Amino acid sequence: MPAPTTLLVLDADPPPRLGRLTGRARIVHADETTLAGQLPHADVLLVWDFTSHAVRAAWPGEGARPRWVHTASAGVDHLMCAELAASDTVVTNARGIFDQPIAEYVAALVLAMAKDLPRTLQLQQRHEWRHRESQRVAGTKACVVGSGPIGRAIAQYLKVLGVTTAIVGRTPRTGIHGPDDLNRLMARADWVISAAPLTADTHHMFDTRRFGVMQPSARFINVGRGQLVDEPALAEALSKRWIAGAALDVFEQEPLPSDSPLWDAPGLIVSPHMSGDTVGWRDELSTQFVELYERWEAGKTLTNVVDKRRGYVPGH
């Protein structure tokens, strides 16, 4: 009788719900200090702690490596290294779990900034009655950078609000603009929304030059990866009123240090990487992995397979 598959889990609290795999897999748990020693003995690796860079550090070591790695996140930059990219190991991600929640969050940010809700709450705390006029959202224009499922879901939600939306992807195709159109579209947009994967090409793509082409009345939102944004450049753009405001849900360093100047940047909404995390999201991630595991166990083709050199699931 063949030995059961060894499933190695890079843990985070709370742990994943894997009860359906009881008796079908030998489940072993690791943390950042023990991962390297256990990798050679694992058939499958579940990166439940998707904030950790332990996989990227441990993968180049000696010994065998898992045949399949699944990360409970949309992005894979936290685990990808040259050795993993060049290996035969299949990498899958949590595509499909976060699309709708993040789109809802972006829509909420657009409405909050257009209707000046942060200022309303500040004035309420001071018991100060100050009438203002707010912006009409319908009829505005948005440029969504990132043509994957999250970017497309954002565009759908903004369309419901009456926002005309252009999507920019890695390659131009029907309904999707290419990178060469980005500056032109940003210059015309009232809302620039970053939802792109982190790759060598997208690192710090939003810099002084890009913020400089935006309208003074425009606002910037990042729900992609923190490293997409040159944060000092954004802080400068806000302080000099090159743009009207911004909202960041992801940052180059997380948690954001308490002494970061971003906390006090004028017109900036800071949220702690929560745009995709709705009630029950961990259970959805667990269920998704178990269903993928059952496909793998049955010898079926896995879905959500990442192109390891591009850093995302292609063809969408």
Side-chain angles (χ1 to χ4, degrees), residues 16 54 72 79 88 119 140 145 179 210 251 262 275 291 296:
L79 58 87
D88 294 331
R119 183 66 171 160
T140 60
V145 184
R210 287 262 159 76
F251 301 85
L262 291 175
S275 61
E291 291 175 350
W296 183 81

Side-chain angles (χ1 to χ4, degrees), residues 163-245:
V163 180
T164 301
T165 305
I167 303 176
V168 178
R170 185 174 182 269
T171 55
R173 53 196 185 275
T174 303
I176 306 295
H177 295 268
D180 291 345
D181 292 333
L182 179 56
N183 288 348
R184 175 178 61 82
L185 293 171
M186 286 182 64
R188 298 165 51 189
D190 301 289
W191 313 96
V192 176
I193 299 152
S194 164
L198 177 61
T199 67
D201 293 331
T202 61
H203 183 267
H204 280 189
M205 67 182 299
F206 297 103
D207 54 13
T208 298
R209 179 173 59 92
R210 287 262 159 76
F211 292 124
V213 306
M214 292 175 62
Q215 302 180 81
S217 60
R219 295 177 175 91
F220 175 78
I221 298 172
N222 185 22
V223 290
R225 307 297 286 177
Q227 293 82 356
L228 300 176
V229 178
D230 181 338
E231 292 176 348
L234 174 60
E236 180 184 28
L238 290 168
S239 65
K240 292 183 176 179
R241 309 295 181 184
W242 293 350
I243 60 175

Side-chain angles (χ1 to χ4, degrees), residues 8 10 30-40 45 52-66 78-81 83-84:
L8 178 61
L10 179 59
D31 58 22
E32 293 188 351
T33 64
T34 61
L35 178 66
Q38 298 191 62
L39 272 179
L45 172 63
S52 171
H53 292 86
V55 175
R56 190 163 60 190
W59 195 272
E62 297 294 327
R65 289 294 180 262
H78 59 289
L79 58 87
M80 201 57 64
C81 61
E83 291 80 2
L84 175 54

Side-chain angles (χ1 to χ4, degrees), residues 118-132:
R119 183 66 171 160
T120 295
L121 295 174
Q122 293 171 359
L123 293 171
Q124 179 181 347
Q125 290 176 339
R126 301 205 299 256
H127 297 190
E128 185 175 342
W129 181 281
R130 185 181 300 178
H131 180 271
R132 290 106 61 217

